[in-house]
Amino acid sequence: MILEKLTVGPFQENCYILGDETSGEGVLFDPGDEAARIALAVEKTNLEISKIVITHAHIDHVGAVAAMVDEYGCPVLMHEEAEPMLQQLPAQAVMMGLRFGKVPQVDEHIADGEKVSVGNLSFEALYTPGHAPGHLSFYCEQEGLVLSGDALFAGSVGRIDLPGGDGQLLMRSIQERLLTLPDETRVYPGHGPSTTIGDEKIGNPFLQGGGLLR
Ligand SMILES: [Zn+2]
Ligand SMILES: [Zn+2]
C-alpha cells in the first residue's frame, strides 16, 4: 500500500493519498488546499487517482476538490448529510476571511457501512457525526488503519462549537465506531500526527470516564 500524507493550507489539514501499488489505482482523501502540491505528490507515487473522498464538508477539507476533479476527472464521494454544508462553502469562507472559488460537485453519496474500493484496497465508511453533519471515517481492515477525519485526533477530539456540531453525538461516534476497532489500528486524522486506537483509549483526556464533553 502507498500512503502519503500532505499537510496543506492555513488550517494545516491532512490530505491523504492512498493507493494500491499492484493495480496502480489511488484515492485522494480530503484534498483541502494547495492543489498543485497535491498533484505533484500524486505524480511521484505514479498512482492513477480514480476517486476523491470527503470526510466532511468543512472548508479546510474540500478547498482543492474542484481543482483535483479538473486534474483527474474522477468522481467525488461524500455522505448525503454533508451536502447542505458543502453548498454553504462560500459563506464558510467569508466567515473565516477566506475566498472560496467553485463549490465542488459530489457524484456519489456514500452511506454507513458502504465500501469504497481502490484497486485491492477496501475502505469501509463509518458514520461518525458530531463534529460536522454526515462526517465519515474510513476503515481499511486489511491494512489495519482508519482515516478518522476530524472526529478523533491524537490526544484530542473534533471541535463541536461549529455549526452542526454536537458533543454527545461525537462522543457516541467515537466510542461506538472508532474505539471498537482493534487496539493496534493506526489512526490517520484530519489534523496532527497519527496515533493508534489503543493509545487513544489510554491517553486521550477527552475519552476518559466516557467523555468529558457531555
Ligand atoms: Zn472539520
Ligand atoms: Zn479540519
Side-chain angles (χ1 to χ4, degrees):
M1 179 197 57
I2 293 168
L3 190 163
E4 292 281 341
K5 167 181 152 181
L6 276 96
T7 304
V8 296
F11 300 96
Q12 297 285 284
E13 187 264 345
N14 295 332
C15 164
Y16 295 98
I17 304 164
L18 274 120
D20 164 24
E21 60 254 271
T22 324
S23 68
E25 196 180 326
V27 57
L28 280 180
F29 282 94
D30 287 354
D33 205 346
E34 301 187 49
R37 214 181 117 214
I38 295 172
L40 185 65
V42 167
E43 222 168 276
K44 286 184 184 153
T45 63
N46 282 323
L47 290 168
E48 197 82 39
I49 298 298
S50 66
K51 289 178 182 80
I52 294 169
V53 179
I54 300 172
T55 61
H56 66 297
H58 280 155
I59 189 164
D60 53 327
H61 294 254
V62 297
V65 170
M68 295 288 92
V69 170
D70 283 348
E71 183 86 27
Y72 303 114
C74 63
V76 177
L77 285 64
M78 187 184 77
H79 195 281
E80 190 170 12
E81 288 171 14
E83 202 66 59
M85 191 157 268
L86 191 76
Q87 298 310 323
Q88 289 158 15
L89 277 171
Q92 280 187 55
V94 170
M95 232 165 57
M96 313 227 166
L98 301 168
R99 187 190 160 273
F100 197 85
K102 195 167 132 201
V103 173
Q105 170 130 17
V106 171
D107 304 285
E108 280 174 47
H109 288 142
I110 10 177
D112 186 32
E114 261 181 59
K115 301 228 162 89
V116 177
S117 296
V118 182
N120 293 320
L121 299 172
S122 170
F123 297 87
E124 184 188 353
L126 306 177
Y127 183 59
T128 42
H131 167 72
H135 185 291
L136 292 172
S137 302
F138 291 90
Y139 178 49
C140 179
E141 188 179 8
Q142 72 219 95
E143 297 287 342
L145 70 89
V146 66
L147 296 148
S148 61
D150 283 2
L152 178 65
F153 303 120
S156 188
V157 298
R159 291 174 63 167
I160 50 165
D161 58 328
L162 298 168
D166 180 329
Q168 270 192 21
L169 190 57
L170 177 63
M171 280 305 146
R172 204 183 326 142
S173 292
I174 295 172
Q175 300 283 356
E176 293 177 3
R177 306 308 305 277
L178 296 174
L179 298 190
T180 47
L181 299 174
D183 279 356
E184 62 276 13
T185 307
R186 284 214 73 79
V187 179
Y188 292 93
H191 300 269
S194 58
T195 179
T196 66
I197 291 294
D199 283 351
E200 293 314 303
K201 272 189 195 164
I202 298 164
N204 190 317
F206 294 92
L207 305 178
Q208 309 309 314
L212 295 173
L213 295 179
R214 273 186 284 199

